[in-house]
Amino acid sequence: MFNASLNTSSTSDAQHALAVYGWDEGWEAEFAPYAAQGLLPGRVLRVDRGQCDVVTPEGVVRADTTFVVPHDPLRVICTGDWAAVDPDGVGDPRYVRAYLPRRTTFARSTSSKRSEGQVLAANVDHAIITVSLAVELDLGRIERFLALAWESGAQPLVVLSKADLVPDPVGLSYLVEDVETVAPGVQVLPVSSLTGDGLDVLRAVTAGGTSVLLGVSGAGKSTLANTLLGTDVMEVQAARDVDGKGRHTTTTRNLLVLPGGGVLIDTPGLRGVGLWDAEAGVGQVFAEIEDLATRCRFHDCAHESEPGCAVTAAIADGTLPERRLDSYRKLIRENQRLVAKTDARLRAEILKDWKRKGAEGRAAMDAKRGRLR
């Protein structure tokens, strides 16, 4: 327990010093119990190797995170967290003693066989999914990013970077339209850091809260970050000419204050975009399919060969692309498998469903053989 007299900054001082980082009355109320203990409020700017940089009313301090290491990897300290930190003069090293409940959490599954979750950023208002127009659009990957963004609680925005590489306005409009078909309810914005096209709109979005840049290596995130910051803070490397892939210029997640207001979190390029308990996010991305499903004759319709299926009817009349249904099924299956690893009840339900479908398949085969005899 700390003595409140050790706190060298009043609540009003903290609010003034941290306002540019997103501190508000809600965070102040959440922090009140820690303020009574003499702890300092601060926002995590960067995390690496069990330590983090935290901006506090005293300035940026280096703090150890081992005091709050949980068993759940989704609850480790991450960039964007609001933390309670030892005041100056208390211990060496200083420690993060706790962090405030997150308003939003952007998480994915790791590539490890343990299928653990990995939190990428916290307390994000806008998830800016950056897609390079230097290479062919991967609509399936965009859908994955969108599912994670919706699930996080942030508002997604798809930025088509390097728009100057598509000088034909008609061709560019077709690319935007292609992305809009997989991003219902999401703004799709072509942007060029070279010509400045679209940057005024992007600056207006990022000025309102915390934004995180997401995308694969070579998507142009660091260049975009430097453009928004007005200075070359992030190192930039050219993408390979052969395939447009980048070289992981950014290796850590960094929170930076934007000159026009708001803060920006730049993230390393993501090779894998695995879902993590993102059922609601998938449903948001494929809202038109879920809406059609409510009109199917059977509530448990698998949208395969069932009579009265509104989804397959939409594919037949051309109003729903078959690629969308294939992608929807793939993400739903992937999410179910992941959740089932930690949910015994869901595992049992999936096993029961597999057995039912197997029995139906065997019955259909026996009936077919009977007719052939």
Side-chain angles (χ1 to χ4, degrees):
M1 182 66 67
F2 298 96
N3 191 315
S5 64
L6 293 173
N7 191 350
T8 59
S9 298
S10 68
T11 303
S12 59
D13 290 339
Q15 187 169 2
H16 174 73
L18 298 176
V20 293
Y21 292 92
W23 184 262
D24 57 30
E25 291 182 356
W27 291 122
E28 184 178 334
E30 290 279 3
F31 191 78
Y34 302 107
Q37 298 174 30
L39 296 173
L40 286 176
R43 194 160 195 194
V44 178
L45 305 178
R46 182 172 179 267
V47 179
D48 63 278
R49 299 179 182 179
Q51 293 190 317
C52 62
D53 294 333
V54 186
V55 59
T56 74
E58 295 180 353
V60 177
V61 302
R62 188 74 168 166
D64 195 303
T65 67
T66 55
F67 191 83
V68 288
V69 173
H71 295 296
D72 183 354
L74 288 174
R75 298 183 64 190
V76 299
I77 292 288
C78 76
T79 303
D81 272 324
W82 285 100
V85 186
D86 286 342
D88 189 23
V90 178
D92 183 20
R94 295 166 76 161
Y95 285 92
V96 173
R97 297 290 172 175
Y99 65 86
L100 302 185
R102 294 163 177 163
R103 292 178 181 175
T104 63
T105 305
F106 194 96
R108 65 164 180 172
S109 66
T110 65
S111 57
S112 70
K113 294 181 179 179
R114 292 177 294 178
S115 297
E116 292 179 339
Q118 178 190 23
V119 58
L120 300 178
N123 302 312
V124 171
D125 300 295
H126 307 286
I128 302 173
I129 300 163
T130 311
V131 181
S132 173
L133 290 178
V135 294
E136 186 176 352
L137 290 175
D138 186 337
L139 298 180
R141 180 181 286 132
I142 294 172
E143 288 164 341
R144 283 176 169 274
F145 272 114
L146 286 169
L148 292 177
W150 282 122
E151 191 68 33
S152 75
Q155 172 64 46
L157 166 68
V158 178
V159 165
L160 302 181
S161 66
K162 308 180 185 180
D164 52 279
L165 298 179
V166 188
D168 176 24
V170 176
L172 182 59
S173 68
Y174 285 148
L175 291 171
V176 171
E177 186 178 334
D178 286 344
V179 177
E180 286 176 339
T181 61
V182 304
V186 176
Q187 183 178 10
V188 179
L189 179 65
V191 167
S192 170
S193 296
L194 184 64
T195 66
D197 289 344
L199 289 176
D200 54 342
V201 177
L202 185 58
R203 287 192 179 99
V205 171
T206 57
T210 299
S211 302
V212 61
L213 284 173
L214 303 160
V216 299
S217 297
K221 298 187 303 302
S222 294
T223 299
L224 200 56
N226 286 336
T227 302
L228 292 171
L229 290 162
T231 182
D232 291 340
V233 174
M234 309 305 297
E235 183 183 354
V236 177
Q237 293 182 358
R240 297 194 305 238
D241 292 336
V242 64
D243 55 11
K245 292 183 178 179
R247 297 176 172 83
H248 285 287
T249 300
T250 304
T251 56
T252 59
R253 289 172 281 280
N254 303 278
L255 187 146
L256 305 158
V257 175
L258 295 172
V263 294
L264 182 71
I265 300 175
D266 190 22
T267 64
L270 301 176
R271 288 192 180 93
V273 193
L275 301 185
W276 181 260
D277 197 6
E279 182 179 356
V282 173
Q284 189 84 17
V285 177
F286 298 92
E288 80 278 29
I289 295 179
E290 300 227 327
D291 180 60
L292 285 167
T294 63
R295 307 175 204 171
C296 293
R297 182 181 302 177
F298 305 107
H299 75 278
D300 59 348
C301 183
H303 318 308
E304 293 174 349
S305 57
E306 296 89 344
C309 176
V311 175
T312 53
I315 290 177
D317 65 23
T319 56
L320 177 67
E322 190 167 359
R323 190 208 68 80
R324 283 282 281 172
L325 180 58
D326 290 342
S327 184
Y328 173 72
R329 285 171 172 161
K330 181 178 182 180
L331 294 185
I332 287 292
R333 285 196 301 266
E334 178 182 326
N335 193 69
Q336 285 181 336
R337 284 197 299 270
L338 184 68
V339 175
K341 291 183 178 181
T342 57
D343 188 328
R345 181 188 59 79
L346 182 58
R347 267 200 313 273
E349 289 180 357
I350 292 175
L351 181 60
K352 182 179 178 180
D353 186 54
W354 285 346
K355 289 181 177 179
R356 178 183 61 80
K357 289 183 177 180
E360 290 174 351
R362 288 190 296 273
M365 184 61 69
D366 290 343
K368 183 177 180 179
R369 288 170 179 166
R371 289 194 299 270
L372 294 175
R373 288 173 186 164

